[in-house]
Amino acid sequence: MSFSFNNKVALVTGSSRGIGKAIAIELCKQGAKVILNGRNAETLENTKNWFLAQKFDVIVAVADITNFEACEELVKLATKTYGKLDIVIANGGIAGSASMLNFSSDEFKAVVDSNIYGSYFPIKAALPELDKTNGSVVFISSLAGLRGIPDHVAYSVGKMSLTAMAQGLAVELKHLNIHVGIVYVGFTQNESTKTLLGEGGKLIPVPERPAFLQQSREQVARSVLSLIKRRKFKVVLTPLGKLNSVAARLFPGLLQWIFTKAYKSK
């Protein structure tokens, strides 16, 4: 019997905008019911209204996913509303851009915590329900999860941790028939309002990337759903991402040299 998202119930963290919103849209298009999550109540309400205008079946929950009790409430809301939970997509997290010299310890911790605990806590809270449905857990990582990137060290630490988490959980949960997957996202077309946490706690715009290096958010979303449908463990997106993945494994010294030369020329 082929896999269908119809009537599946999915929690997508960080889904008020960006990649998370695109994943939620694709899930809804394929018949899933989605719990939208974010930290900004106004943004989340606007997103909910857009989904409802499309006749999609969604509910929303403002929640700090670095708080375990808040994540437990998220799961309770899902099961109270829909009776089950089939999919958790750990997408929420803060991106940071500053050198270690110019990033405060609090800023570093905020970025790392949002990516590590913001992924672990919702999944941990959902495991009893996913056990009932033989569900799926998906970590949304990035190229920074394959190789540490200068001026993005905190973000790299957070995203690399997801590799360890996914690898360990894939083994732990196999006997429960819970699927675990991880998606390494490359450069993606962002909304104009997308920001990073910079030095001094300032929010700064995401740097412009050449268009030919970028994927659309919709392409990313379709790749995430394909991974779930096939119950695949890992996918690396974009040609640059695939090249980076191979180089990190086979030519780490060369990659280090390239990064060092590029950083010196800034």
Side-chain angles (χ1 to χ4, degrees), residues 7-128:
N7 289 320
K8 298 291 186 187
V9 178
L11 166 61
V12 185
T13 66
S15 47
S16 61
R17 61 181 181 176
I19 290 172
K21 180 180 177 181
I23 294 169
I25 291 171
E26 192 62 30
L27 284 164
C28 287
K29 283 181 177 179
Q30 297 203 29
K33 308 171 194 297
V34 178
I35 299 91
L36 303 170
N37 159 256
R39 293 173 297 160
N40 185 295
E42 183 179 355
T43 302
L44 195 57
E45 184 67 17
N46 291 336
T47 300
K48 180 193 76 171
N49 291 336
W50 184 90
F51 274 79
L52 295 179
Q54 312 305 311
K55 308 299 182 186
F56 292 149
D57 193 346
V58 300
I59 55 173
V60 300
V62 178
D64 176 4
I65 54 174
T66 64
N67 180 289
F68 183 65
E69 288 73 22
C71 292
E72 288 183 309
E73 291 303 315
L74 267 178
V75 173
K76 287 177 184 176
L77 177 64
T79 55
K80 181 180 178 181
T81 306
Y82 296 121
K84 63 172 183 170
L85 185 59
D86 299 285
I87 300 164
V88 175
I89 298 177
N91 169 74
I94 300 171
S97 178
S99 70
M100 286 283 284
L101 287 173
N102 297 320
F103 219 33
S104 74
S105 57
D106 286 343
E107 290 154 3
F108 189 96
K109 186 176 186 299
V111 172
V112 171
D113 283 0
S114 74
N115 285 284
I116 295 179
Y117 296 111
S119 295
Y120 171 71
F121 284 162
I123 289 169
K124 169 67 175 174
L127 284 180

Side-chain angles (χ1 to χ4, degrees), residues 7-258:
N7 289 320
K8 298 291 186 187
V9 178
L11 166 61
V12 185
T13 66
S15 47
S16 61
R17 61 181 181 176
I19 290 172
K21 180 180 177 181
I23 294 169
I25 291 171
E26 192 62 30
L27 284 164
C28 287
K29 283 181 177 179
Q30 297 203 29
K33 308 171 194 297
V34 178
I35 299 91
L36 303 170
N37 159 256
R39 293 173 297 160
N40 185 295
E42 183 179 355
T43 302
L44 195 57
E45 184 67 17
N46 291 336
T47 300
K48 180 193 76 171
N49 291 336
W50 184 90
F51 274 79
L52 295 179
Q54 312 305 311
K55 308 299 182 186
F56 292 149
D57 193 346
V58 300
I59 55 173
V60 300
V62 178
D64 176 4
I65 54 174
T66 64
N67 180 289
F68 183 65
E69 288 73 22
C71 292
E72 288 183 309
E73 291 303 315
L74 267 178
V75 173
K76 287 177 184 176
L77 177 64
T79 55
K80 181 180 178 181
T81 306
Y82 296 121
K84 63 172 183 170
L85 185 59
D86 299 285
I87 300 164
V88 175
I89 298 177
N91 169 74
I94 300 171
S97 178
S99 70
M100 286 283 284
L101 287 173
N102 297 320
F103 219 33
S104 74
S105 57
D106 286 343
E107 290 154 3
F108 189 96
K109 186 176 186 299
V111 172
V112 171
D113 283 0
S114 74
N115 285 284
I116 295 179
Y117 296 111
S119 295
Y120 171 71
F121 284 162
I123 289 169
K124 169 67 175 174
L127 284 180
E129 297 301 325
L130 296 174
D131 185 22
K132 299 173 186 176
T133 58
N134 295 333
S136 284
V137 165
V138 180
F139 295 91
I140 304 300
S141 187
S142 81
L143 301 189
L146 296 170
R147 206 269 175 207
I149 299 175
D151 286 344
H152 299 269
V153 174
Y155 185 64
S156 299
V157 169
K159 290 304 184 185
M160 280 191 170
S161 75
L162 301 186
T163 298
M165 214 179 297
Q167 289 172 340
L169 279 179
V171 175
E172 287 186 19
L173 302 180
K174 189 172 181 60
H175 75 286
L176 298 176
N177 202 27
I178 296 176
H179 162 243
V180 176
I182 185 166
V183 179
Y184 295 93
V185 178
F187 294 143
T188 306
Q189 294 167 1
N190 292 299
E191 292 142 327
S192 59
T193 55
K194 173 75 173 178
T195 56
L196 308 173
L197 183 65
E199 59 184 88
K202 296 178 181 177
L203 295 177
I204 59 176
V206 174
E208 285 290 330
R209 310 291 187 186
F212 71 92
L213 291 178
Q214 299 185 61
Q215 277 190 316
S216 70
R217 295 186 294 276
E218 293 73 23
Q219 287 174 307
V220 173
R222 288 192 289 270
S223 294
V224 172
L225 266 66
S226 175
L227 174 133
I228 295 170
K229 187 176 289 189
R230 297 162 61 195
R231 294 180 82 84
K232 190 176 177 181
F233 174 68
K234 169 185 171 182
V235 63
V236 180
L237 302 184
T238 76
L240 180 63
K242 294 181 191 330
L243 179 62
N244 187 52
S245 177
V246 172
R249 285 187 290 110
L250 301 182
F251 310 106
L254 174 62
L255 202 58
Q256 182 80 358
W257 180 82
I258 292 171

